[in-house]
Amino acid sequence: QVQLMESGGGSVQPGESLKLSCATSRPIFDRCGMGWYRRPPGKELDLISYIGTDGSTNYADVVKGRFTISEDNGKNTLYLEMRNLTPRDTAVYICATFPLSGSCNYWGQGTEVTVSS
């Protein structure tokens, strides 16, 4: 079993930045793509970015140009760097393997990000 643990969330003002981390308990990036999801208050879970096993990246339009996904294989850690945050970015951010499959089906518990003035 693999555990994913997010960190780095917090409360910031509009225009500020945050960098989220997702540490995995075992190396999986060579066989599993990884994604960041978010669930805004009262809304559904949305996939906002993912990185493939080949390092290719993809972003939802709402975060494109502001968020950057990356991973450090040596540290078994996935990152999401978020810039120019707005109140619409307020959500619980969750990392998970992506796409989900029989051997790549792991989810973190989430870290909360609040953007308000």
Coordinates of all heavy atoms in Angstrom, one line a residue, residues 44-107:
E44 N -18.1 20.1 -6.6 CA -17.6 18.8 -6.9 C -16.0 18.8 -7.0 O -15.4 19.8 -7.2 CB -18.2 18.2 -8.1 CG -19.7 18.0 -8.0 CD -20.3 17.4 -9.2 OE1 -19.6 17.3 -10.3 OE2 -21.5 16.9 -9.2
L45 N -15.5 17.6 -7.0 CA -14.0 17.4 -7.2 C -13.7 17.6 -8.7 O -14.3 17.1 -9.6 CB -13.7 16.0 -6.8 CG -12.2 15.7 -6.6 CD1 -11.6 16.4 -5.5 CD2 -12.0 14.2 -6.4
D46 N -12.6 18.4 -8.9 CA -12.2 18.7 -10.3 C -10.7 18.4 -10.4 O -9.9 18.7 -9.5 CB -12.4 20.2 -10.6 CG -13.8 20.5 -10.8 OD1 -14.6 19.7 -11.4 OD2 -14.2 21.7 -10.5
L47 N -10.4 17.8 -11.5 CA -9.0 17.6 -11.8 C -8.4 18.9 -12.4 O -9.0 19.4 -13.4 CB -8.8 16.5 -12.9 CG -7.4 16.2 -13.4 CD1 -6.5 15.6 -12.3 CD2 -7.5 15.3 -14.6
I48 N -7.3 19.4 -11.8 CA -6.8 20.7 -12.3 C -5.4 20.5 -13.0 O -5.1 21.4 -13.8 CB -6.7 21.7 -11.2 CG1 -5.8 21.2 -10.1 CG2 -8.1 22.1 -10.7 CD1 -5.5 22.2 -9.0
S49 N -4.7 19.5 -12.7 CA -3.4 19.3 -13.4 C -3.0 17.8 -13.2 O -3.3 17.2 -12.2 CB -2.4 20.2 -12.8 OG -1.1 20.1 -13.4
Y50 N -2.2 17.4 -14.2 CA -1.6 16.1 -14.1 C -0.3 16.0 -14.8 O 0.0 16.8 -15.7 CB -2.5 14.9 -14.5 CG -2.9 14.9 -15.9 CD1 -2.2 14.3 -16.9 CD2 -4.1 15.5 -16.4 CE1 -2.5 14.3 -18.2 CE2 -4.5 15.4 -17.7 CZ -3.7 14.8 -18.6 OH -4.1 14.8 -19.9
I51 N 0.5 15.1 -14.3 CA 1.9 14.8 -15.0 C 2.0 13.4 -15.3 O 1.7 12.5 -14.4 CB 3.0 15.4 -14.0 CG1 4.3 15.2 -14.7 CG2 3.0 14.7 -12.7 CD1 5.5 16.0 -14.0
G52 N 2.4 13.1 -16.5 CA 2.5 11.7 -16.9 C 3.8 11.1 -16.5 O 4.7 11.8 -16.0
T53 N 4.0 9.8 -16.6 CA 5.2 9.1 -16.3 C 6.3 9.6 -17.2 O 7.5 9.4 -16.9 CB 5.1 7.6 -16.4 OG1 4.6 7.2 -17.7 CG2 4.1 7.0 -15.4
D54 N 6.0 10.2 -18.4 CA 7.0 10.7 -19.3 C 7.3 12.2 -19.0 O 8.1 12.8 -19.7 CB 6.6 10.6 -20.7 CG 5.3 11.4 -21.0 OD1 4.7 11.9 -20.1 OD2 4.9 11.4 -22.2
G55 N 6.7 12.7 -17.9 CA 7.0 14.1 -17.6 C 6.1 15.1 -18.3 O 6.2 16.3 -18.0
S56 N 5.2 14.6 -19.1 CA 4.3 15.6 -19.8 C 3.3 16.1 -18.8 O 2.9 15.4 -17.9 CB 3.6 14.9 -21.0 OG 2.9 13.8 -20.5
T57 N 2.9 17.4 -19.0 CA 2.0 18.0 -18.1 C 0.8 18.5 -18.8 O 0.8 18.8 -20.0 CB 2.7 19.2 -17.3 OG1 3.1 20.1 -18.3 CG2 3.9 18.7 -16.5
N58 N -0.3 18.7 -18.0 CA -1.6 19.2 -18.5 C -2.2 20.0 -17.4 O -2.1 19.6 -16.2 CB -2.4 18.0 -19.0 CG -3.6 18.5 -19.7 OD1 -4.6 18.9 -19.2 ND2 -3.5 18.4 -21.1
Y59 N -3.0 21.0 -17.9 CA -3.6 21.9 -16.9 C -5.0 22.2 -17.3 O -5.3 22.4 -18.5 CB -2.8 23.2 -16.8 CG -1.4 23.1 -16.3 CD1 -0.4 22.9 -17.2 CD2 -1.1 23.0 -14.9 CE1 0.9 22.7 -16.8 CE2 0.2 22.9 -14.5 CZ 1.2 22.7 -15.4 OH 2.5 22.5 -15.0
A60 N -5.9 22.4 -16.4 CA -7.2 22.9 -16.7 C -7.1 24.4 -17.0 O -6.2 25.1 -16.6 CB -8.1 22.7 -15.5
D61 N -8.0 24.8 -17.9 CA -8.0 26.2 -18.3 C -8.0 27.2 -17.1 O -7.3 28.3 -17.2 CB -9.1 26.5 -19.3 CG -8.9 25.9 -20.6 OD1 -7.8 25.5 -20.9 OD2 -9.9 25.7 -21.3
V62 N -8.7 26.9 -16.1 CA -8.8 27.8 -15.0 C -7.5 28.0 -14.2 O -7.4 29.0 -13.5 CB -9.9 27.4 -14.0 CG1 -11.3 27.5 -14.6 CG2 -9.7 26.0 -13.5
V63 N -6.5 27.2 -14.4 CA -5.3 27.3 -13.7 C -4.1 27.5 -14.6 O -3.0 27.8 -14.2 CB -5.0 26.2 -12.7 CG1 -6.1 26.0 -11.7 CG2 -4.7 24.9 -13.5
K64 N -4.3 27.3 -15.9 CA -3.2 27.3 -16.9 C -2.5 28.7 -16.8 O -3.2 29.7 -16.8 CB -3.8 27.1 -18.3 CG -2.7 26.8 -19.3 CD -3.4 26.4 -20.7 CE -4.2 25.1 -20.5 NZ -4.8 24.6 -21.8
G65 N -1.2 28.7 -16.8 CA -0.4 29.9 -16.7 C -0.2 30.4 -15.3 O 0.7 31.3 -15.1
R66 N -0.9 29.8 -14.4 CA -0.7 30.3 -13.0 C -0.1 29.1 -12.1 O 0.6 29.4 -11.1 CB -2.0 30.8 -12.4 CG -2.6 31.9 -13.1 CD -3.8 32.5 -12.3 NE -4.9 31.5 -12.2 CZ -5.4 31.0 -11.0 NH1 -4.9 31.5 -9.9 NH2 -6.4 30.1 -11.0
F67 N -0.5 27.9 -12.4 CA -0.1 26.7 -11.6 C 0.9 25.9 -12.4 O 0.9 25.8 -13.6 CB -1.3 25.8 -11.3 CG -2.3 26.4 -10.3 CD1 -2.3 27.8 -10.0 CD2 -3.2 25.6 -9.8 CE1 -3.2 28.3 -9.1 CE2 -4.2 26.1 -8.9 CZ -4.2 27.4 -8.5
T68 N 1.9 25.3 -11.7 CA 2.9 24.5 -12.3 C 3.0 23.2 -11.5 O 3.2 23.2 -10.3 CB 4.2 25.2 -12.3 OG1 4.1 26.4 -13.0 CG2 5.3 24.3 -13.0
I69 N 2.8 22.1 -12.1 CA 3.0 20.8 -11.5 C 4.4 20.2 -11.8 O 4.9 20.4 -12.9 CB 1.9 19.8 -12.0 CG1 1.9 18.5 -11.2 CG2 2.1 19.5 -13.5 CD1 0.7 17.6 -11.5
S70 N 5.0 19.6 -10.8 CA 6.3 19.0 -11.0 C 6.5 17.9 -10.0 O 5.6 17.7 -9.1 CB 7.4 20.1 -10.8 OG 7.4 20.6 -9.5
E71 N 7.5 17.1 -10.2 CA 7.8 16.0 -9.2 C 9.3 15.9 -9.0 O 10.1 16.1 -10.0 CB 7.1 14.7 -9.6 CG 7.5 14.2 -11.0 CD 6.6 13.1 -11.5 OE1 5.5 12.9 -11.0 OE2 7.1 12.4 -12.4
D72 N 9.7 15.4 -7.9 CA 11.1 15.2 -7.5 C 11.2 13.7 -7.2 O 10.7 13.2 -6.2 CB 11.5 16.0 -6.3 CG 13.0 15.9 -6.0 OD1 13.5 14.8 -6.2 OD2 13.6 16.8 -5.5
N73 N 11.7 12.9 -8.2 CA 11.8 11.5 -8.0 C 12.7 11.1 -6.8 O 12.4 10.1 -6.1 CB 12.3 10.8 -9.3 CG 11.3 10.9 -10.4 OD1 10.4 10.1 -10.4 ND2 11.4 11.8 -11.3
G74 N 13.7 11.8 -6.6 CA 14.6 11.5 -5.5 C 13.9 11.7 -4.1 O 14.2 11.0 -3.2
K75 N 13.0 12.6 -4.0 CA 12.2 12.8 -2.8 C 10.9 12.2 -2.8 O 10.1 12.3 -1.8 CB 12.1 14.3 -2.6 CG 13.4 15.0 -2.3 CD 13.2 16.5 -2.1 CE 14.6 17.2 -1.8 NZ 14.4 18.7 -1.5
N76 N 10.5 11.5 -3.9 CA 9.2 10.9 -4.0 C 8.1 11.9 -3.6 O 7.1 11.6 -2.9 CB 9.0 9.7 -3.0 CG 10.0 8.6 -3.4 OD1 10.3 8.3 -4.5 ND2 10.5 7.9 -2.4
T77 N 8.2 13.1 -4.2 CA 7.3 14.2 -3.9 C 6.8 14.9 -5.1 O 7.6 15.2 -6.0 CB 8.0 15.2 -2.9 OG1 8.4 14.5 -1.7 CG2 7.0 16.3 -2.6
L78 N 5.5 15.1 -5.1 CA 4.8 15.8 -6.2 C 4.5 17.2 -5.7 O 4.3 17.4 -4.5 CB 3.5 15.1 -6.5 CG 2.5 15.8 -7.5 CD1 3.1 15.6 -8.9 CD2 1.1 15.2 -7.4
Y79 N 4.6 18.2 -6.6 CA 4.4 19.6 -6.2 C 3.4 20.2 -7.0 O 3.1 19.8 -8.2 CB 5.7 20.4 -6.3 CG 6.9 19.9 -5.5 CD1 7.9 19.1 -6.1 CD2 6.9 20.1 -4.1 CE1 8.9 18.6 -5.3 CE2 8.0 19.7 -3.4 CZ 9.0 18.9 -3.9 OH 10.0 18.5 -3.2
L80 N 2.8 21.3 -6.5 CA 1.9 22.2 -7.2 C 2.2 23.6 -6.8 O 1.9 24.0 -5.7 CB 0.4 21.9 -7.0 CG -0.5 22.7 -7.9 CD1 -0.4 22.3 -9.4 CD2 -2.0 22.5 -7.5
E81 N 2.9 24.3 -7.7 CA 3.2 25.7 -7.4 C 2.1 26.6 -7.9 O 1.7 26.5 -9.1 CB 4.5 26.1 -8.0 CG 5.0 27.5 -7.6 CD 6.4 27.7 -8.0 OE1 7.0 26.9 -8.7 OE2 7.0 28.8 -7.6
M82 N 1.5 27.4 -7.0 CA 0.3 28.2 -7.4 C 0.7 29.7 -7.3 O 1.1 30.1 -6.2 CB -0.9 27.8 -6.5 CG -1.1 26.3 -6.5 SD -2.6 25.9 -5.5 CE -2.1 26.4 -3.9
R83 N 0.5 30.4 -8.3 CA 0.8 31.8 -8.3 C -0.5 32.6 -8.6 O -1.5 32.1 -9.2 CB 1.8 32.2 -9.3 CG 3.1 31.4 -9.1 CD 4.1 31.8 -10.2 NE 3.7 31.3 -11.5 CZ 3.9 30.1 -12.0 NH1 4.5 29.2 -11.2 NH2 3.4 29.7 -13.2
N84 N -0.5 33.9 -8.2 CA -1.6 34.8 -8.5 C -2.9 34.2 -8.1 O -3.9 34.1 -8.9 CB -1.6 35.2 -10.0 CG -2.5 36.4 -10.3 OD1 -2.8 37.2 -9.4 ND2 -2.9 36.5 -11.5
L85 N -3.0 33.8 -6.9 CA -4.2 33.1 -6.4 C -5.3 34.1 -6.3 O -5.2 35.3 -6.0 CB -3.9 32.4 -5.0 CG -3.0 31.2 -5.1 CD1 -2.4 30.9 -3.8 CD2 -3.8 30.0 -5.6
T86 N -6.5 33.5 -6.5 CA -7.8 34.3 -6.4 C -8.7 33.6 -5.4 O -8.5 32.4 -5.2 CB -8.5 34.5 -7.7 OG1 -9.1 33.3 -8.1 CG2 -7.5 34.9 -8.8
P87 N -9.7 34.3 -4.9 CA -10.7 33.6 -4.1 C -11.3 32.3 -4.7 O -11.7 31.4 -4.0 CB -11.8 34.7 -3.8 CG -11.0 35.9 -3.9 CD -10.0 35.7 -5.0
R88 N -11.4 32.3 -6.0 CA -12.0 31.1 -6.7 C -11.1 29.9 -6.6 O -11.5 28.8 -6.9 CB -12.2 31.4 -8.2 CG -13.3 32.4 -8.4 CD -13.6 32.6 -9.9 NE -14.8 33.5 -10.1 CZ -15.3 33.7 -11.3 NH1 -14.8 33.2 -12.4 NH2 -16.3 34.6 -11.4
D89 N -9.8 30.1 -6.1 CA -8.9 29.0 -5.9 C -9.1 28.3 -4.6 O -8.5 27.3 -4.2 CB -7.5 29.4 -6.1 CG -7.2 29.9 -7.5 OD1 -7.6 29.2 -8.5 OD2 -6.5 30.9 -7.7
T90 N -10.0 28.9 -3.7 CA -10.2 28.4 -2.4 C -10.8 27.0 -2.6 O -11.8 26.8 -3.2 CB -11.2 29.2 -1.6 OG1 -10.5 30.5 -1.4 CG2 -11.6 28.6 -0.3
A91 N -10.2 26.0 -1.9 CA -10.6 24.6 -2.1 C -9.7 23.7 -1.2 O -8.7 24.1 -0.7 CB -10.5 24.2 -3.6
V92 N -10.2 22.4 -1.1 CA -9.3 21.4 -0.6 C -8.6 20.8 -1.8 O -9.2 20.4 -2.8 CB -10.1 20.3 0.1 CG1 -9.2 19.2 0.6 CG2 -10.8 20.9 1.4
Y93 N -7.3 20.8 -1.7 CA -6.4 20.2 -2.8 C -6.0 18.8 -2.5 O -5.4 18.6 -1.4 CB -5.3 21.2 -3.1 CG -5.7 22.4 -3.8 CD1 -6.4 23.4 -3.1 CD2 -5.4 22.6 -5.1 CE1 -6.7 24.6 -3.7 CE2 -5.7 23.8 -5.8 CZ -6.4 24.8 -5.1 OH -6.8 25.9 -5.7
I94 N -6.2 17.9 -3.4 CA -5.9 16.5 -3.2 C -5.0 16.0 -4.3 O -5.3 16.2 -5.5 CB -7.2 15.7 -3.1 CG1 -8.2 16.3 -2.1 CG2 -7.0 14.2 -2.9 CD1 -9.6 15.8 -2.2
C95 N -4.0 15.2 -3.9 CA -3.2 14.6 -4.9 C -3.6 13.1 -5.0 O -4.1 12.5 -4.1 CB -1.7 14.7 -4.6 SG -1.2 13.8 -3.1
A96 N -3.4 12.6 -6.2 CA -3.8 11.2 -6.5 C -3.0 10.7 -7.7 O -2.5 11.5 -8.5 CB -5.3 11.1 -6.7
T97 N -3.0 9.4 -7.8 CA -2.4 8.9 -9.1 C -3.4 9.2 -10.2 O -4.6 9.3 -10.0 CB -2.2 7.4 -9.0 OG1 -3.4 6.8 -8.4 CG2 -1.1 7.0 -8.0
F98 N -2.9 9.4 -11.4 CA -3.7 9.7 -12.6 C -3.1 9.2 -13.8 O -1.9 9.5 -14.0 CB -4.0 11.2 -12.7 CG -4.9 11.6 -13.8 CD1 -6.3 11.5 -13.7 CD2 -4.4 11.9 -15.1 CE1 -7.1 11.8 -14.7 CE2 -5.2 12.2 -16.1 CZ -6.6 12.1 -16.0
P99 N -3.8 8.5 -14.7 CA -5.1 8.1 -14.5 C -5.2 6.9 -13.5 O -4.2 6.3 -13.2 CB -5.6 7.6 -15.9 CG -4.3 7.2 -16.5 CD -3.2 8.1 -16.0
L100 N -6.4 6.7 -12.9 CA -6.5 5.6 -11.9 C -6.5 4.3 -12.7 O -7.1 4.2 -13.8 CB -7.8 5.8 -11.2 CG -8.0 7.1 -10.3 CD1 -9.3 7.2 -9.7 CD2 -6.9 7.1 -9.2
S101 N -5.9 3.3 -12.1 CA -5.9 2.0 -12.6 C -5.8 1.0 -11.5 O -5.7 1.4 -10.3 CB -4.7 1.8 -13.6 OG -3.5 1.9 -12.9
G102 N -5.8 -0.3 -11.9 CA -5.7 -1.3 -10.8 C -4.5 -1.2 -9.9 O -4.5 -1.4 -8.7
S103 N -3.3 -0.9 -10.6 CA -2.1 -0.8 -9.8 C -1.7 0.7 -9.4 O -0.7 0.9 -8.7 CB -0.9 -1.4 -10.6 OG -0.8 -0.7 -11.8
C104 N -2.5 1.6 -9.9 CA -2.2 3.0 -9.5 C -3.5 3.6 -9.1 O -4.2 4.3 -9.9 CB -1.7 3.8 -10.8 SG 0.0 3.3 -11.2
N105 N -3.9 3.4 -7.9 CA -5.1 4.0 -7.4 C -4.9 4.4 -5.9 O -5.3 3.7 -5.0 CB -6.2 2.9 -7.4 CG -7.6 3.4 -7.1 OD1 -7.7 4.6 -6.7 ND2 -8.6 2.6 -7.3
Y106 N -4.3 5.5 -5.8 CA -3.9 6.1 -4.5 C -4.4 7.5 -4.4 O -4.2 8.3 -5.3 CB -2.4 6.0 -4.2 CG -1.8 4.6 -4.5 CD1 -1.0 4.3 -5.5 CD2 -2.2 3.5 -3.6 CE1 -0.4 3.1 -5.7 CE2 -1.7 2.3 -3.8 CZ -0.8 2.1 -4.9 OH -0.3 0.8 -5.1
W107 N -4.8 7.9 -3.2 CA -5.3 9.2 -2.9 C -4.8 9.8 -1.6 O -4.6 9.0 -0.7 CB -6.9 9.2 -2.8 CG -7.6 8.9 -4.1 CD1 -7.8 7.7 -4.7 CD2 -8.2 9.9 -5.0 NE1 -8.5 7.8 -5.9 CE2 -8.7 9.2 -6.1 CE3 -8.3 11.3 -5.0 CZ2 -9.4 9.8 -7.1 CZ3 -8.9 11.9 -6.0 CH2 -9.5 11.2 -7.1

